[in-house]
């Protein structure tokens, strides 16, 4: 679908989430690495998708109330762009909570629940999701198509993180140093990449919204 030409750059920004990856690596270091890291990813995905559906309904209600859904989409986009630019500035030094020695011992259920909670622990990294939902709503698909597109986005989001249980399953104990190196790299790279990607996405959405208000036509 044509909407993916806009969603894909947002997705690339969205998946730069060192918080989720760090906790998944922590789960992969337990006695049941594949099961617990998979459960954590599933918890995050289910919560992310559910939150996306609720956000989409909320944003649609605002649009219906104001009786100008197309215009309100760009108002929301403008506000999201401002938040993204603010976060691009803030995330230079603050990248959210990481697991430490006080982190709990996980069970399958607690790992699933913790994966869901990470949506809120790493909330700065979830802001691009708002932009993705706004772009999906702008296409004005049917309810079923919208839900399926949102589900597809969430599954695509989960794919890079699946490397943790996959490597744990294929390599066993040898996966731990590899995952720790990836985690350390993402933690360092995130300090550079995250502000840059958030800033670029914020600028793109801001310019698109301003052009729409000025000319009545979107760039995307």
């Amino acid at each position: 679908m044509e909407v993916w030409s806009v969603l894909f750059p947002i997705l690339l920004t969205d998946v730069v989430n060192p918080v989720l990856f760090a906790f998944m690596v922590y789960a992969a270091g337990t006695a049941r690495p594949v099961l617990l890291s998979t459960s954590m990813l599933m918890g995050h995905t289910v919560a992310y998708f559910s939150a996306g559906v609720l956000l989409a309904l909320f944003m649609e209600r605002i649009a219906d109330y104001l009786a100008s859904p197309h215009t309100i989409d760009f108002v929301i986009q403008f506000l999201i762009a401002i938040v993204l630019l603010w976060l691009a500035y803030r995330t230079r030094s603050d990248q959210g909570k990481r697991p430490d020695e006080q982190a709990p011992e996980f069970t399958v259920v607690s790992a699933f629940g913790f994966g869901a909670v990470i949506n809120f622990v790493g909330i700065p990294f979830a802001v691009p999701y708002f932009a993705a939902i706004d772009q999906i709503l702008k296409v004005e698909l049917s309810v079923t198509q919208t839900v399926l597109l949102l589900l597809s986005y969430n599954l695509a989001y989960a794919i890079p993180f699946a490397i943790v249980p996959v490597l744990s399953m294929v390599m066993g104990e040898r996966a731990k140093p590899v995952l720790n190196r990836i985690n350390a790299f993402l933690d360092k790279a995130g300090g550079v990449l995250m502000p840059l990607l958030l800033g670029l996405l914020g600028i793109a959405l801001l310019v698109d919204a301003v052009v729409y208000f000025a000319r009545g036509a979107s760039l995307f």
Side-chain angles (χ1 to χ4, degrees):
M1 297 175 65
E2 187 177 336
V3 66
W4 276 104
S5 63
V6 178
L7 286 181
F8 189 69
I10 297 176
L11 178 63
L12 290 179
T13 304
D14 205 4
V15 297
V16 181
N17 189 335
V19 175
L20 174 59
F21 195 86
F23 276 101
M24 286 192 63
V25 171
Y26 178 84
T30 62
R32 294 181 290 176
V34 178
L35 184 60
L36 295 183
S37 60
T38 299
S39 181
M40 185 174 289
L41 180 58
M42 289 177 62
H44 187 278
T45 302
V46 169
Y48 214 31
F49 174 67
S50 301
V53 171
L54 292 175
L55 283 169
L57 289 172
F58 177 71
M59 290 162 70
E60 276 292 276
R61 290 283 179 87
I62 294 176
D64 291 341
Y65 179 75
L66 295 178
S68 183
H70 197 60
T71 299
I72 193 60
D73 284 335
F74 285 92
V75 172
I76 293 171
Q77 177 175 309
F78 181 86
L79 295 175
I80 291 172
I82 297 298
V83 173
L84 284 168
L85 290 172
W86 178 73
L87 285 173
Y89 173 77
R90 284 295 304 274
T91 53
R92 294 180 306 167
S93 57
D94 179 15
Q95 296 189 38
K97 183 178 174 59
R98 300 291 190 278
D100 53 34
E101 61 274 8
Q102 282 77 45
E105 285 293 327
F106 289 122
T107 63
V108 174
V109 175
S110 64
F112 184 93
F114 208 84
V117 170
I118 291 173
N119 283 283
F120 306 102
V121 173
I123 194 65
F125 304 100
V127 175
Y129 194 37
F130 288 81
I133 293 169
D134 183 51
Q135 295 300 318
I136 290 172
L137 292 177
K138 281 165 62 177
V139 183
E140 297 182 356
L141 302 171
S142 68
V143 174
T144 301
Q145 289 174 319
T146 299
V147 171
L148 288 176
L149 181 56
L150 187 60
L151 178 60
S152 299
Y153 180 92
N154 277 266
L155 292 176
Y157 175 93
I159 288 174
F161 297 97
I163 190 175
V164 177
V166 169
L167 283 180
S168 297
M169 180 174 58
V170 173
M171 299 178 64
E173 287 292 319
R174 292 176 297 143
K176 291 182 182 179
V178 175
L179 290 173
N180 285 329
R181 285 197 295 270
I182 295 174
N183 187 37
F185 171 78
L186 286 178
D187 212 27
K188 291 180 180 179
V192 177
L193 283 178
M194 200 63 197
L196 177 63
L197 292 174
L198 286 172
L200 290 175
L201 180 59
I203 291 170
L205 294 179
L206 184 65
V207 170
D208 183 48
V210 170
V211 168
Y212 173 79
F213 293 134
R215 299 188 340 194
S218 171
L219 292 174
F220 306 137

